[in-house]
Amino acid sequence: MNTNKDSVPVVEANGARIPLLGLGTWQLRGRICARVVEQALRLGYRHLDTAEIYDNEAAVGEGLRASGVKRNDVFVVTKIWPSHFAPGEFERAARECLVRLRLSEVDLLLLHWPNPQIPLAETLGAIGKVKREGLARHIGVSNFTVAQIEEAAKASGEPLVCNQFECHPFLDQSKLIAACRQRGIAVVAYSPIARGNARNDEVLARIGAKHKKTAAQVCLRFLVQQNIVVIPRTSKVERLAENAAIFDFALSAQEMAEISGLAQRDGRIVDWAFSGQPKWD
Ligand SMILES: NC(=O)c1ccc[n+]([C@@H]2O[C@H](COP(=O)([O-])OP(=O)(O)OC[C@H]3O[C@@H](n4cnc5c(N)ncnc54)[C@H](OP(=O)(O)O)[C@@H]3O)[C@@H](O)[C@H]2O)c1
């Protein structure tokens, strides 16, 4: 774990420096979204996660400008939806993200989900071109399996800096984490507090009580202590500080092992089962 000039811990991956804590924004829209983004940045968050499908890029950009934090101090991530992977459409979609965000480039552009209907090499060619044209500083993927990560790492002309996927203590993602690490690809955990379920877990709550932390904080700490980037979402300004206060305590090896024991192979919350293909959400 390294620290950048603002003392926000970062993870280094294939040339990118990704703040270990980001703000998830799925389902946040309009004024609430802009306000949460603004407050998060004022509190020290330096990484924002949005996507064209979230229908909130304009509000995210608005919150960024309202915060007064310098553009270059914030790591902005957006994602292209798989229905825009067709040749010709990809670049147009990426340019439209920038128009909505009112930015000249994003720090990281992701393929939101794999699209089995379009050859991966073609899509990687399109995202690589978008990077070389200066629309994105770095590129990466999301919801890629071990096999897809292997294929993508080989086929991409530009380095892939992250795979963003569901990751929390209740789901065993050890193989996917290892596959990413082998290739220097950062792991970005989405749904890192299991969509709020961490709050109700007895093990996390008991360990939290020892450290004077909440179950959600222990859950996030468990991930960042493994150099896994977390992007918890909240619509409540008061929870922003709670979710950020995860760098002032450490879990013991025994506590880490106990939390690892919560993992289940079928502990997924986000539903991929849709006629054998991922259900895109
Ligand atoms: N790449 C992908 O396909 C993909 C898929 C899913 C998510 N994501 C990204 O990952 C982000 C995070 O994932 P997520 O939104 O699915 O789930 P999450 O961050 O694990 O959980 C969000 C939920 O937890 C609640 N919450 C937040 N902080 C809390 C706390 N300290 N204690 C108790 N409850 C708390 C929130 O409710 P309140 O609003 O009431 O606080 C919200 O209902 C998304 O917002 C999105 O940016 C990406």
Side-chain angles (χ1 to χ4, degrees):
M1 201 185 292
N2 288 303
T3 300
N4 72 10
K5 57 181 183 310
D6 291 314
S7 297
V8 176
V10 298
V11 60
E12 297 194 15
N14 288 335
R17 288 168 60 78
I18 310 175
L20 263 174
L21 170 70
L23 175 72
T25 67
W26 178 57
Q27 289 193 326
L28 301 180
R29 297 224 171 77
R31 288 180 65 178
I32 290 181
C33 179
R35 181 157 172 269
V36 170
V37 167
E38 176 186 349
Q39 289 303 320
L41 293 172
R42 286 177 192 263
L43 281 168
Y45 286 69
R46 289 295 178 268
H47 171 172
L48 304 172
D49 183 79
T50 181
E52 56 171 346
I53 201 75
Y54 297 172
D55 192 21
N56 65 10
E57 288 169 313
V60 168
E62 208 180 291
L64 169 57
R65 282 181 295 282
S67 73
V69 176
K70 281 194 217 124
R71 163 67 188 97
N72 282 344
D73 289 342
V74 184
F75 194 88
V76 180
V77 185
T78 196
K79 319 182 191 80
I80 303 296
W81 195 242
S83 59
H84 294 148
F85 289 1
E89 274 198 51
F90 193 95
E91 183 170 335
R92 181 190 50 78
R95 287 189 186 278
E96 284 175 6
C97 292
L98 295 176
V99 168
R100 286 187 293 269
L101 283 159
R102 286 178 54 200
L103 296 176
S104 57
E105 65 180 358
V106 287
D107 296 273
L108 178 56
L109 186 67
L110 304 181
L111 304 179
H112 203 144
W113 286 90
N115 181 344
Q117 269 98 52
I118 297 180
L120 181 57
E122 221 172 81
T123 311
L124 289 167
I127 195 171
K129 181 164 174 274
V130 159
K131 182 191 166 195
R132 286 189 297 279
E133 284 173 354
L135 309 187
R137 285 191 185 135
H138 302 284
I139 60 168
V141 296
S142 178
N143 295 300
F144 273 41
T145 62
V146 170
Q148 287 160 341
I149 274 290
E150 281 168 2
E151 186 188 348
K154 274 190 210 138
S156 183
E158 299 287 334
L160 299 173
V161 308
C162 89
N163 186 16
Q164 182 184 122
F165 53 88
E166 181 176 342
C167 188
H168 47 70
F170 312 111
L171 174 64
D172 181 4
Q173 291 284 34
S174 49
K175 287 189 179 142
L176 190 48
I177 292 169
C180 292
R181 293 221 159 118
Q182 239 173 23
R183 291 162 185 81
I185 293 173
V187 172
V188 178
Y190 76 59
S191 308
I193 46 176
R195 298 223 160 131
N197 290 339
R199 170 185 37 188
N200 306 318
D201 185 80
E202 281 175 18
V203 172
L204 298 177
R206 172 169 44 76
I207 292 173
K210 276 202 256 169
H211 294 274
K212 296 198 168 56
K213 293 286 178 181
T214 64
Q217 289 171 318
V218 170
C219 183
L220 294 171
R221 177 69 207 180
F222 170 75
L223 296 170
V224 296
Q225 200 162 311
Q226 299 172 72
N227 246 8
I228 293 174
V229 179
V230 296
I231 49 170
R233 160 185 54 111
T234 182
S235 56
K236 300 187 172 69
V237 167
E238 59 276 15
R239 278 185 171 157
L240 288 170
E242 176 185 342
N243 293 347
I246 54 173
F247 299 107
D248 57 355
F249 74 112
L251 298 168
S252 69
Q254 199 188 335
E255 289 167 336
M256 291 293 284
E258 190 178 359
I259 299 168
S260 296
L262 299 173
Q264 305 213 336
R265 288 183 69 178
D266 60 353
R268 198 179 287 287
I269 297 170
V270 176
D271 186 8
W272 280 40
F274 183 69
S275 312
Q277 301 293 348
K279 182 180 166 209
W280 293 330
D281 76 349

